[in-house]
Amino acid sequence: MPLRLVATCALGLEDLLAAELAALGVAAPETTRGAVAFSGDWTSVLRANWRLRTANRLLVELASWEAPDDDALAAGAERIVAGRREWDGLAAADLFHPRRSFAVHATSSASALRDSRWIALRVKDGLVDAQRRRFGERASVERRDPDLRLRVWLHRDRATLLLDTSGESLDHRGYRLERTAAPLREQLAAACVLAAGWDGAGPVVDPMCGSGTLLAEAGAVALGLAPGRGRAGWGFERLFGRGAPPGLDRAAWDEVRREPIPAPGPDVVLHGVDRSPDAIAAAAGNLGRAGLGDRARLEVGDAFAWEPPPGPGLLLVNPPHGGRLAADAEQWPRLGDLLKRRYAGWTAVVLAGGPDLGKHVGLRPRRRLPVRNGPLDARILVFDLY
């Protein structure tokens, strides 16, 4: 049977993530709050981890059972290890062999059991009790760097156990080692690019570029660079070797990484401006590590005085929340005026936070996408400028 896979994302990015999956050939992805579920195989797991730009994690659903109390919760976990269950050729006896350390992370909503630490403990108890009976020994719990990262979702007294195949969150691309204040997460930056429906034509400009994340994600889309190309490790690599099914091995992983990715903007040039010399230095370092240093044109300057390159192209901007723009409502109309005067014919994407969420830009967006930027409400606003 195919695997049931779940790609998680920041709230508001579900439709963009579903569109990414559809572009990978996934049939009928199922959108839920903060996640998109779909069917696939182990090669799908590798490909989704490697290529999804807006996802946080890629999870494999292992089992689901009724858990109205902690005894039922533990008993359900025991059955997973004790039975003959397998997941597209990966047997429970191999996945939960005591040689693999594990950790359990739990969340709960609308259930009788609410303490996430207690839920994780009872699932752990069920797993190790079954291991002792089946193997005569139990696995160790390793919270910092386990072989298996397990997640339990308890909702309305129904537990779902999932295997995290990503390891570190997928926003850890490997290039953003230098940061400025309030850095933008990579998935949200990628979402700004994808929401624009950009065809790759023309230059990319970020007139308040900070550490360069929007430029880095736009460059990766334009050149067909996988978002996972700079990562050092993956959770699924802990499953390679003994007992691993076909499609979950080093050869399959190497093949996925060789697959071509559409590159709509092979001649893209990335222009970044910021008033802070430290921000420009950080952006230069990050774009260099992202393999985009030769495409970057960075300079210290003021967004409102800087003269953009010939267009049209794509403008991306994340006005600083609580800073010189978002804290002063009068500056939003000034930004709108800048877009109209200097970027006619361009597509502009504004990630708007702060109290008014960009309502006073003075332009009508083609697309308005409510999202969460960490703990804050924000909007991705897409404008076609005339």
Side-chain angles (χ1 to χ4, degrees):
M1 291 183 62
L3 300 170
R4 179 171 171 80
L5 306 175
V6 180
T8 65
C9 63
L11 294 179
L13 302 188
E14 298 89 350
D15 289 345
L16 291 174
L17 177 54
E20 283 197 86
L21 287 165
L24 294 182
V26 170
E30 175 189 340
T31 300
T32 59
R33 180 177 168 82
V36 180
F38 61 104
S39 296
D41 55 17
W42 288 110
T43 301
S44 304
V45 170
L46 305 181
R47 185 176 295 115
N49 272 294
W50 180 241
R51 291 178 57 169
L52 290 178
R53 301 184 189 279
T54 58
N56 291 334
R57 297 183 180 278
L58 198 285
L59 311 173
V60 177
E61 184 174 313
L62 300 178
S64 184
W65 68 98
E66 293 299 321
D69 54 48
D70 58 353
D71 288 338
L73 184 64
E78 286 187 53
R79 289 192 295 271
I80 299 169
V81 178
R84 297 184 178 276
R85 187 188 299 263
E86 67 173 42
W87 302 274
D88 192 27
L90 178 61
D94 292 314
L95 179 61
F96 288 102
H97 194 280
R99 69 177 179 272
R100 300 189 194 277
S101 62
F102 72 88
V104 181
H105 175 82
T107 58
S108 175
S109 63
S111 292
L113 299 176
R114 299 181 181 181
D115 187 330
S116 60
R117 290 174 296 181
W118 179 248
I119 293 167
L121 178 63
R122 293 300 287 144
V123 169
K124 183 271 295 181
D125 290 343
L127 295 175
V128 298
D129 286 349
Q131 286 179 322
R132 288 192 185 97
R133 285 193 292 272
R134 183 163 190 171
F135 302 106
E137 58 179 317
R138 54 155 288 181
S140 63
V141 173
E142 175 57 63
R143 299 187 185 280
R144 295 188 62 183
D145 188 28
D147 295 317
L148 304 180
R149 297 173 186 257
L150 302 173
R151 294 182 175 265
V152 180
W153 294 347
L154 189 58
H155 178 64
R156 299 187 186 278
D157 295 334
R158 185 166 188 84
T160 303
L161 183 67
L162 305 106
L163 172 66
D164 182 351
T165 67
S166 299
E168 284 192 304
S169 174
L170 294 176
D171 68 319
H172 292 185
R173 310 272 212 241
Y175 68 80
R176 198 180 67 174
L177 301 184
E178 300 176 59
R179 303 188 179 193
T180 55
L184 178 63
R185 292 186 67 182
E186 288 86 334
Q187 296 101 322
L188 193 52
C192 290
V193 178
L194 298 179
W198 181 46
D199 63 3
V204 178
V205 166
D206 183 349
M208 302 178 186
C209 70
S211 59
T213 309
L214 282 164
L215 295 174
E217 295 299 317
V221 170
L223 298 175
L225 304 177
R229 67 194 182 281
R231 284 171 60 102
W234 305 82
F236 57 74
E237 291 178 307
R238 302 292 185 96
L239 304 178
F240 291 168
R242 176 183 167 186
L248 188 59
D249 54 34
R250 185 65 59 184
W253 178 222
D254 290 342
E255 183 63 29
V256 164
R257 289 183 292 177
R258 285 194 293 267
E259 293 175 350
I261 298 174
D267 300 320
V268 70
V269 178
L270 309 170
H271 297 266
V273 180
D274 200 281
R275 297 200 303 186
S276 166
D278 290 341
I280 291 298
N286 291 337
L287 289 165
R289 279 183 292 274
L292 297 165
D294 61 334
R295 306 294 182 124
R297 308 292 184 266
L298 305 173
E299 59 185 283
V300 177
D302 188 296
F304 296 99
W306 184 72
E307 188 68 32
L314 176 66
L315 179 140
L316 303 163
V317 63
N318 173 30
H321 295 190
R324 61 185 180 273
L325 189 70
D328 185 351
E330 294 182 0
Q331 296 298 331
W332 285 107
R334 189 181 179 205
L335 175 62
D337 182 62
L338 172 70
L339 298 182
K340 287 184 292 186
R341 286 189 299 104
R342 296 197 176 178
Y343 295 92
W346 291 55
T347 296
V349 183
V350 178
L351 180 60
D356 65 6
L357 300 174
K359 294 177 183 177
H360 301 301
V361 172
L363 301 171
R364 184 183 298 275
R366 164 167 54 89
R367 186 173 192 181
R368 185 192 304 269
L369 188 62
V371 295
R372 294 285 287 178
N373 185 8
L376 304 175
D377 287 324
R379 298 289 185 271
I380 295 175
L381 305 176
V382 182
F383 302 95
D384 292 327
L385 303 174
Y386 302 101

